[in-house]
Amino acid sequence: YWAMGSGLLAGLAVGFRSLGMAVVAGIALAFLLQRNFRRFLLFCAAAAPLVLVAMWPAFVAIFHPSGTQLALGLGGSGWTQTLCYYSSYACSWRMNVSGWATLRTIIVTNIKLLIETPGLLLLSPLSSGGRFRSFVLISLASIASYAGIAHYLREKGWRPFPLVFGFYVLVILAWPYPPRRFLFVFLPLFCAGLWVEVRRLATLIAQNFRPNRALCQRPVHAYHAE
């Protein structure tokens, strides 16, 4: 019955923050990809009532015409903007994203921030000062972290935590706020990805430079191992 327990906890996560929907979607998709339909149904049955309760205001704002009347844009009163900010994420988003040009700028900026976020979270003491060496180290850490996650998924198959991360990213890409603070919860995933990639590279290097391997065969072995 751990699938039902997971569903209850995932539903409660939606109550804490709307981004908890990514948790529900990621775990549910993992069950589907693993063809574990019984656990998928149990999980959804446990999560659905809590999700419905937590997201009911958002559903009303979407499907009821009066729910969108607060989206008055930047020209609205300060009271309206404050009420919009604290009462509806959808209204707040519409208030800050004025058109397609703004949305495109937000997405491009957030993609750049997402690329560098693992390195900044893992090596944050090096990010102050703006030196080129710090930039290189942070970039390498980010690339290694994402590469390690990809290699792990290719070897082990789809797992809930990376799928939750994928749905999470889809939401925050269009959110008009720097995504780094939202990704702190995925620090264990970034650490695991970095560890997997460093261990994989260390294994390749150790196999490639064994004393009993001819020097001319080492690059070929590294290529085939990859």
Side-chain angles (χ1 to χ4, degrees):
Y1 293 96
W2 69 269
M4 294 188 67
S6 300
L8 291 173
L9 291 176
L12 290 173
V14 179
F16 280 109
R17 199 173 187 93
S18 300
L19 277 172
M21 282 296 298
V23 178
V24 176
I27 297 176
L29 182 58
F31 284 139
L32 283 178
L33 292 175
Q34 296 168 7
R35 298 182 180 274
N36 200 327
F37 301 113
R38 180 176 178 273
R39 289 179 177 175
F40 169 77
L41 293 175
L42 290 173
F43 174 84
C44 292
L50 296 172
V51 171
L52 181 62
V53 171
M55 298 298 293
W56 184 252
F59 294 148
V60 172
I62 292 173
F63 295 107
H64 197 283
S66 63
T68 60
Q69 291 179 359
L70 283 176
L72 299 178
L74 297 177
S77 67
W79 164 255
T80 302
Q81 292 182 29
T82 303
L83 176 62
C84 185
Y85 181 82
Y86 284 104
S87 62
S88 171
Y89 283 126
C91 178
S92 177
W93 184 85
R94 289 194 301 268
M95 186 176 65
N96 288 279
V97 181
S98 57
W100 287 108
T102 304
L103 179 60
R104 183 172 60 250
T105 301
I106 290 172
I107 292 176
V108 171
T109 301
N110 284 343
I111 288 175
K112 295 177 181 178
L113 294 175
L114 280 168
I115 292 173
E116 66 181 14
T117 290
L120 287 173
L121 291 178
L122 294 168
L123 304 174
S124 57
L126 299 178
S127 62
S128 59
R131 292 173 297 181
F132 179 74
R133 183 176 62 180
S134 301
F135 170 77
V136 171
L137 290 175
I138 290 171
S139 299
L140 289 176
S142 294
I143 294 171
S145 179
Y146 282 126
I149 294 171
H151 283 110
Y152 177 81
L153 291 176
R154 187 173 63 182
E155 179 182 349
K156 302 293 185 180
W158 293 108
R159 292 294 186 268
F161 200 20
L163 289 173
V164 170
F165 173 72
F167 282 108
Y168 207 88
V169 166
L170 289 178
V171 176
I172 64 176
L173 269 181
W175 192 252
Y177 196 89
R180 194 172 306 149
R181 58 169 290 192
F182 299 110
L183 295 177
F184 186 77
V185 68
F186 293 101
L187 182 58
L189 179 64
F190 297 144
C191 290
L194 182 61
W195 167 252
V196 168
E197 187 64 11
V198 169
R199 187 178 61 178
R200 188 185 72 87
L201 292 175
T203 301
L204 288 176
I205 292 173
Q207 292 175 351
N208 194 41
F209 289 95
R210 284 182 298 182
N212 59 347
R213 184 172 297 277
L215 184 62
C216 62
Q217 294 178 335
R218 291 175 183 176
V220 176
H221 177 74
Y223 174 81
H224 287 293
E226 179 64 26

